[in-house]
Amino acid sequence: MVKNYFEYLKKKSNDYGLAFLKGQTISSATFDDANVEIPGRDGLLTMSNKRYKSANLVFKCNVYSKTGIQAAESKIANWLLSDVGWHNLTWSEDPGFTYIAKIDGGLNIERLGKTYGNVDINFLIQPNKFLDEGQSAPILVFGT
């Protein structure tokens, strides 16, 4: 049994034969501001939008399917791309928290054989995560 997983659209990644590879990537939230040059003024002026930008979360996975990699590709795509928009995302390596996420782009599965391959699943996540207890207290995401 695969112990690390993510859950999205109320389904778990390990139900689709996905297993985490080493090297998961999560970008920290960044403050949304712009540096502006003003003629006749030394240096830059920073204009703040008073908010944080969304961040990226990339799951690097191996996929295995007894029925073949093509069948696995279809099942994974039908799951992850079936409902575009923002949804809850939980991750076994960050227990007790829920992210608000959406798929960023499509899926590209690298076929390594008839029954297995690799895939990077790119999520765009809101710049905060929520405690599962009540899901009411936002926590800024600055890495895990």
Side-chain angles (χ1 to χ4, degrees):
M1 171 150 175
V2 178
K3 62 181 176 175
N4 291 326
Y5 65 90
F6 68 89
E7 186 172 330
Y8 186 69
L9 295 171
K10 300 184 181 185
K11 296 178 182 174
K12 292 183 179 178
S13 58
N14 50 8
D15 294 338
Y16 291 84
L18 293 166
F20 284 100
L21 297 172
K22 291 183 180 179
Q24 304 310 312
T25 304
I26 183 171
S27 300
S28 65
T30 57
F31 200 67
D32 187 7
D33 60 13
N35 293 318
V36 180
E37 289 188 29
I38 297 177
R41 183 181 190 277
D42 291 335
L44 296 172
L45 180 65
T46 300
M47 304 290 293
S48 173
N49 289 318
K50 299 181 182 177
R51 67 183 189 127
Y52 285 89
K53 294 180 182 180
S54 295
N56 294 306
L57 176 59
V58 179
F59 292 126
K60 298 175 185 301
C61 298
N62 175 269
V63 58
Y64 170 77
S65 174
K66 292 178 186 175
T67 59
I69 193 65
Q70 291 171 324
E73 287 173 349
S74 294
K75 288 179 184 177
I76 293 167
N78 287 335
W79 163 43
L80 293 175
L81 304 175
S82 67
D83 190 358
V84 296
W86 298 97
H87 301 283
N88 289 349
L89 171 72
T90 58
W91 180 19
S92 62
E93 291 185 19
D94 196 8
F97 292 98
T98 297
Y99 296 86
I100 306 301
K102 69 175 191 164
I103 292 291
D104 189 21
L107 297 174
N108 294 312
I109 295 180
E110 176 187 16
R111 295 179 182 181
L112 300 173
K114 291 182 180 182
T115 58
Y116 64 96
N118 289 334
V119 61
D120 289 350
I121 301 170
N122 300 300
F123 284 99
L124 188 61
I125 58 174
Q126 294 293 353
N128 45 35
K129 59 185 178 181
F130 295 86
L131 288 168
D132 287 343
E133 294 178 16
Q135 288 196 15
S136 59
I139 309 279
L140 287 178
V141 177
F142 289 105
T144 55

